Amino acid sequence: MLKLIIADDERIIRETISTIIDWKKYDIELVGLCRNGLEAYDMILDESPDIVLTDIRMPGMDGLELIRRIYETDLNTQFIILSGYGEFEYAKAAMKYGVRHYLLKPCSEIHILESIKDIAQDCYRKNSSERSYPALNSIRHNVIFTILNNAVCQNRPYDEIMQAYDPYMDFYFSSYHLFYIFFLGFENLEEFLQQLKQYAKNRFPQVTIHGIYVNYTLLLFFKEFAGNYQDMSHFFSHMRLAGHSASLETEDLSFKNLQSLLQTALDKVRRFSMIYYINDFHILSSCNYSFIMDEANKQLSASLQSGSTENTDSLISLLSEVTDLSFLKQLSNSLMLAISAADSRLSTVELTEWLLNVTHETQLEPLKLTLAEKLRTLLSAKPEKSAVSAMTKQIRDYVDQHLSDPNLTLKGIAEQHLFMNTDYVSKKFQKETGTRFSNYLTSVRIERAKKLLVSAGSDKIQTVAEQVGCGNNPQYFSQLFKKNTGVTPSAYAARHHGEG
């Protein structure tokens, strides 16, 4: 589902547009109405919307400045300009920032929908081609593999399992596509995957493809992107495999979210004794170690609850019996994900480092020793007791260290630093701090600016603006400072230096 924000200083216009269209019918969530550019800018930082329908002339920050500032961030937000007849020059200026849609007031529901539908395709296309971070990719694969084992081996409820891993994947808001590949023998699976790997690399290299194989059937699924999937279906049906003369048969389905797809897929595969998960085009077996998986999770749960070294020793002893390197890698990653999800003793940064290091481990015994040491360290430590989680503390630390970055966004911190789902991070941060990220960022910038102005003086305002992340727009800095303090930066500095 795509997110939409409407920004217009005329109340009747923004509220009329919000109500005349049934946005959910078009798979769009209206996340907010804004009275001016400053409100819209803050809301964009908080919500990371896909589409913003904005007026040009608004108080505080006009639509063109809003578009320019967002263009310089790492957000993929697309804009539709809504304005009067005499402002076409503004629209032309916005085109250099990639804006292609310009609606004249008053505009009809039909014209708005035409622009929305057109731009929605761009959004899906951009979403599918977003930069893929190896660590984030690794986490996604490990989460799905863990869910597979929890659902099939331990027979846990789907909702309970997915809720535990909500920080790492979007189970509810993004559409997914599923391909069934029928009559594919296990002896041809490796060859099939290598051909698929090359095809995906050439056509959609940024898309993470997951797969589950059981009994001559492969289930491939991925986040939906723009366009139809006939070309992919044609590729599958015309694939040539050694010793396989018949064409592969396919069926594909769309799902409103990953949750509904996994429920459908897991219901179909759970009755098979041998299940294989496709992790980055590599085959990993599952369920042949179902007892160890089940017992390891029980021992971990007991150790997390009691802090007993006896449970930790039992867990490590159990893991020492594993003789398959690939399985131990997946099991260790599943245990680390469970520890990270349970409490704050393992941060997402540490989790990411662990997953990357395990990926490159090539020997069984060194991994056993490393895993045993890590488990003893983590399970003997007490989770941090704080009013906020380790995640929120990491966000605060990151903001403090990178405050001079004018393009600082929660989306960038979540995806590139925490490797977590942006929506989850946004909601959890607001719940724990009682404020939106944009408000927090503004308050930190203002407080830092106050200290710098006191020590630097009124002749260093440009330098202060740069140090708090507003250097590319001193006028915005002055507006922001006055809005939050009641005085301009120069007046504040002069007051504290006995000037004027």
Side-chain angles (χ1 to χ4, degrees):
M1 181 174 284
L2 299 177
K3 290 183 177 181
L4 168 71
I5 285 175
I6 299 173
D8 197 300
D9 60 338
E10 296 183 61
R11 177 181 176 183
I12 189 170
I13 290 179
R14 62 177 182 268
E15 292 189 354
T16 299
I17 295 175
S18 72
T19 55
I20 61 172
I21 296 173
D22 182 2
W23 296 107
K24 289 186 178 180
K25 178 181 177 182
Y26 299 97
D27 204 30
I28 291 173
E29 178 188 7
L30 180 60
V31 295
L33 304 178
C34 303
R35 296 172 296 178
N36 54 59
L38 289 172
E39 278 190 11
Y41 180 69
D42 286 344
M43 186 171 288
I44 291 170
L45 291 184
D46 288 322
E47 298 291 347
S48 302
D50 300 283
I51 306 171
V52 174
L53 180 63
T54 181
D55 189 13
I56 282 288
R57 294 199 177 185
M58 295 183 292
M61 180 190 295
D62 65 28
L64 189 58
E65 175 65 11
L66 173 66
I67 292 167
R68 186 190 68 78
R69 288 182 63 82
I70 297 302
Y71 179 81
E72 293 172 350
T73 70
D74 58 358
L75 301 173
N76 279 332
T77 301
Q78 301 257 37
F79 285 87
I80 299 174
I81 290 177
L82 178 66
S83 199
Y85 282 100
E87 298 163 355
F88 185 65
E89 290 302 316
Y90 288 97
K92 287 199 298 184
M95 291 177 185
K96 66 181 180 181
Y97 301 119
V99 178
R100 297 186 294 104
H101 294 269
Y102 179 82
L103 298 176
L104 290 174
K105 295 179 180 178
C107 53
S108 68
E109 175 186 351
I110 294 175
H111 290 142
I112 295 174
L113 276 175
E114 285 177 350
S115 295
I116 290 288
K117 288 178 181 178
D118 185 50
I119 213 168
Q121 294 301 310
D122 288 342
C123 291
Y124 286 123
R125 191 177 299 110
K126 282 197 172 187
N127 289 343
S128 68
S129 61
E130 283 183 338
R131 287 173 295 174
S132 180
Y133 303 100
L136 191 58
N137 219 35
S138 178
I139 288 176
R140 288 169 180 161
H141 280 299
N142 280 287
V143 165
I144 299 297
F145 183 80
T146 301
I147 290 173
L148 173 65
N149 279 292
N150 286 346
V152 176
C153 303
Q154 301 177 41
N155 200 30
R156 291 173 57 195
Y158 297 144
D159 289 345
E160 175 188 313
I161 299 170
M162 291 176 210
Q163 186 176 9
Y165 300 104
D166 201 18
Y168 307 106
M169 291 193 76
D170 173 13
F171 293 101
Y172 313 107
F173 301 106
S174 297
S175 301
Y176 270 73
H177 210 80
L178 170 66
F179 266 95
Y180 290 99
I181 315 296
F182 300 109
F183 307 118
L184 175 62
F186 186 77
E187 68 278 6
N188 295 121
L189 182 57
E190 181 67 39
E191 182 184 1
F192 175 94
L193 292 174
Q194 291 310 306
Q195 292 190 39
L196 174 60
K197 181 178 181 180
Q198 190 59 47
Y199 174 81
K201 180 180 178 181
N202 295 333
R203 300 299 182 94
F204 36 86
Q206 307 301 331
V207 176
T208 301
I209 299 179
H210 304 277
I212 302 174
Y213 177 87
V214 289
N215 196 34
Y216 294 95
T217 301
L218 175 63
L219 290 74
L220 294 173
F221 53 97
F222 45 84
K223 188 183 291 187
E224 287 195 332
F225 50 91
N228 60 58
Y229 303 96
Q230 292 181 355
D231 182 67
M232 192 181 297
S233 182
H234 182 269
F235 167 76
F236 291 141
S237 61
H238 288 77
M239 186 182 288
R240 292 293 173 260
L241 302 171
H244 196 285
S245 57
S247 298
L248 296 172
E249 292 189 15
T250 66
E251 178 185 349
D252 63 301
L253 301 169
S254 291
F255 290 83
K256 65 179 181 179
N257 54 36
L258 181 57
Q259 179 192 38
S260 58
L261 184 151
L262 286 175
Q263 289 177 344
T264 298
L266 294 174
D267 280 344
K268 292 183 180 298
V269 305
R270 67 188 311 153
R271 65 180 183 273
F272 295 97
S273 58
M274 283 299 298
I275 302 175
Y276 301 90
Y277 177 67
I278 311 305
N279 184 331
D280 198 22
F281 304 102
H282 296 292
I283 305 170
L284 301 175
S285 58
S286 179
C287 292
N288 52 336
Y289 288 103
S290 58
F291 169 77
I292 294 180
M293 288 286 296
D294 188 31
E295 193 62 26
N297 279 284
K298 288 180 181 177
Q299 295 290 355
L300 176 63
S301 179
S303 185
L304 287 171
Q305 291 177 13
S306 66
S308 168
T309 56
E310 182 179 345
N311 292 122
T312 303
D313 291 340
S314 297
L315 173 59
I316 292 171
S317 175
L318 180 69
L319 297 175
S320 68
E321 299 174 8
V322 177
T323 57
D324 183 280
L325 177 61
S326 295
F327 174 72
L328 184 61
K329 285 184 175 184
Q330 292 301 319
L331 178 54
S332 67
N333 290 344
S334 295
L335 294 173
M336 293 303 164
L337 277 164
I339 293 172
S340 179
D343 56 45
S344 59
R345 71 186 81 188
L346 180 65
S347 71
T348 54
V349 174
E350 292 176 300
L351 172 64
T352 301
E353 291 175 353
W354 172 268
L355 295 175
L356 290 175
N357 291 335
V358 168
T359 299
H360 295 102
E361 182 57 70
T362 58
Q363 298 182 35
L364 182 64
E365 292 307 317
L367 178 57
K368 287 183 180 180
L369 292 174
T370 304
L371 178 59
E373 181 181 352
K374 188 70 172 178
L375 288 171
R376 290 192 192 282
T377 301
L378 290 172
L379 297 178
S380 63
K382 296 294 183 182
E384 297 179 13
K385 290 186 177 181
S386 171
V388 298
S389 65
M391 181 209 76
T392 295
K393 185 178 183 299
Q394 289 176 71
I395 293 173
R396 287 174 169 175
D397 290 344
Y398 191 91
V399 167
D400 189 58
Q401 295 166 18
H402 298 82
L403 193 62
S404 61
D405 181 1
N407 302 320
L408 194 60
T409 65
L410 186 61
K411 183 176 186 289
I413 297 173
E415 294 185 351
Q416 300 171 38
H417 181 64
L418 299 176
F419 303 104
M420 297 174 74
N421 176 18
T422 305
D423 286 332
Y424 173 87
V425 171
S426 176
K427 291 172 183 175
K428 189 171 179 66
F429 182 86
Q430 184 175 355
K431 181 179 180 181
E432 292 187 355
T433 64
T435 185
R436 289 177 174 270
F437 173 77
S438 61
N439 293 335
Y440 173 75
L441 180 60
T442 296
S443 68
V444 174
R445 282 180 165 154
I446 296 301
E447 290 306 310
R448 181 77 61 85
K450 287 179 180 178
K451 294 177 182 178
L452 292 171
L453 287 168
V454 169
S455 60
S458 58
D459 59 334
K460 300 291 185 181
I461 292 176
Q462 174 65 40
T463 302
V464 171
E466 291 174 355
Q467 290 177 308
V468 299
C470 299
N472 60 351
N473 191 341
Q475 183 182 3
Y476 168 68
F477 171 63
S478 294
Q479 290 176 335
L480 191 67
F481 193 90
K482 185 174 182 180
K483 178 183 177 183
N484 286 271
T485 65
V487 296
T488 64
S490 57
Y492 185 89
R495 178 192 301 170
H496 285 79
H497 286 82
E499 304 171 8

